[in-house]
Amino acid sequence: MKYRTIGTDPHHRREVSVLALGAMLFGSLTDEQTSFAVLDRYVEAGGNFIDTSDNYAFWTDGSQGGHSEELLGRWRRSRGIGDEVVIATKLGARPLAPGTSYTDNPEGLSAKVIRESAERSREQLGVQKLDLLYAHIDDHRVPLQETVEGFAALVAEGTVGLLGVSNQAIWRVERARALAAAAGLPGYEVLQYQHSHLRPRFDMPSDLFPDGSLGHAGAELLGYLRSESVLTLVAYSPLLGGAYGRADKPLPPDYDHPGTPARLAVLREVARETGASVNQVVLAWQMGAELPVVPLAGASSVAQLEENLAAVDLELSAEQRARLDAAH
């Protein structure tokens, strides 16, 4: 395994594996035995960066979520896992009632919710301190200053280490970080956005993003990352839910545009040249990027995890990387 540092404060920064493990479906669609086997193998291979959320996976049974955090808590206790494994979780998008969603009834980002939700996550995970806590989605109903101060208060108390943000407009991220800096408070240092080798359309509206996607890492976010050396991008869904390698998994609709075939062709060329799978090329391209990117990939079997782990040692040549970067 290889590692990189996230965060800047010497009291909270962590060395994390360059490949993060997504636990979104653990305890729901992925049963406990399989989830434990994947987690055990990941840690055995040197992995130490696991991602979850307080709302995972509410959509599988119409609940409010909590399945993933609860399973990770049971796994930690059964294996005697301590703070050597960094567990990141998120709040803000948990439905306030069963049968609702984050689009119509989210918990939000008030100071009260931040405190109560973080405490619930700590209890479910069985930890004294949340290593990394994200704002999962934005909340325009609450003054941004309140959200910034709500997160910072938990860091000051020692129950949260690093702060992160996901699925928000970059101008909102920068405004929150500026408010924090002006007040001498800790701000967001880890950005979690959807990012893969294929480039999506950004103009397709959804229930959460009526004006087009704010959840993908586009030119604005990557430029921001390039200019702010303290930031790290955690790239979720780097493998597009298996669409790169499975005929039964079509590409999501936002990747159906004229630029996709050329980038797919280069991916397949490099896969043939290296003897690797397309999935492994995508992960290796991210892990070895000039910008600090940590791919976050889920796995519903040990075999899937093994394929992903092999990408850690896949070295792409400068020429191959240049082709992958330039394809359009």
Side-chain angles (χ1 to χ4, degrees), residues 177-188:
R177 293 184 67 240
L179 287 170
L185 300 174
Y188 301 136

Side-chain angles (χ1 to χ4, degrees), residues 147-200:
T147 297
V148 167
E149 291 174 353
F151 278 115
L154 300 186
V155 176
E157 293 168 11
T159 57
V160 171
L162 298 172
L163 299 175
V165 63
S166 182
N167 301 311
Q168 294 191 19
I170 299 307
W171 71 267
R172 290 277 289 179
V173 175
E174 171 58 18
R175 183 168 293 180
R177 293 184 67 240
L179 287 170
L185 300 174
Y188 301 136
E189 292 189 287
V190 185
L191 280 55
Q192 185 175 140
Y193 286 75
Q194 201 281 313
H195 182 49
S196 188
H197 184 258
L198 294 185
R199 294 170 174 164

Side-chain angles (χ1 to χ4, degrees), residues 61-104:
D61 60 3
S63 68
Q64 292 171 273
H67 314 72
S68 177
E69 286 188 340
E70 290 170 358
L71 180 136
L72 288 171
R74 292 193 296 273
W75 172 74
R76 288 186 71 259
R77 286 187 288 271
S78 71
R79 304 303 195 255
I81 297 292
D83 61 6
E84 70 275 12
V85 173
V86 176
I87 297 182
T89 193
K90 315 176 196 72
L91 57 79
R94 179 176 181 263
L96 287 173
T100 61
S101 179
Y102 53 78
T103 56
D104 60 350

Side-chain angles (χ1 to χ4, degrees), residues 110-218:
S110 69
K112 180 175 184 290
V113 162
I114 290 169
R115 178 169 295 279
E116 292 176 352
S117 295
E119 177 60 31
R120 184 177 56 248
S121 290
R122 286 199 303 124
E123 182 177 340
Q124 292 186 158
L125 290 166
V127 298
Q128 294 297 311
K129 176 182 175 181
L130 298 171
D131 300 306
L132 169 58
L133 181 63
Y134 292 96
H136 201 167
I137 59 175
D138 209 344
D139 183 0
H140 290 268
R141 304 166 301 177
V142 174
L144 199 52
Q145 185 81 35
E146 178 180 341
T147 297
V148 167
E149 291 174 353
F151 278 115
L154 300 186
V155 176
E157 293 168 11
T159 57
V160 171
L162 298 172
L163 299 175
V165 63
S166 182
N167 301 311
Q168 294 191 19
I170 299 307
W171 71 267
R172 290 277 289 179
V173 175
E174 171 58 18
R175 183 168 293 180
R177 293 184 67 240
L179 287 170
L185 300 174
Y188 301 136
E189 292 189 287
V190 185
L191 280 55
Q192 185 175 140
Y193 286 75
Q194 201 281 313
H195 182 49
S196 188
H197 184 258
L198 294 185
R199 294 170 174 164
R201 289 176 54 179
F202 288 83
D203 60 340
M204 298 183 70
S206 65
D207 290 342
L208 186 60
F209 305 124
D211 300 314
S213 177
L214 298 174
H216 290 90

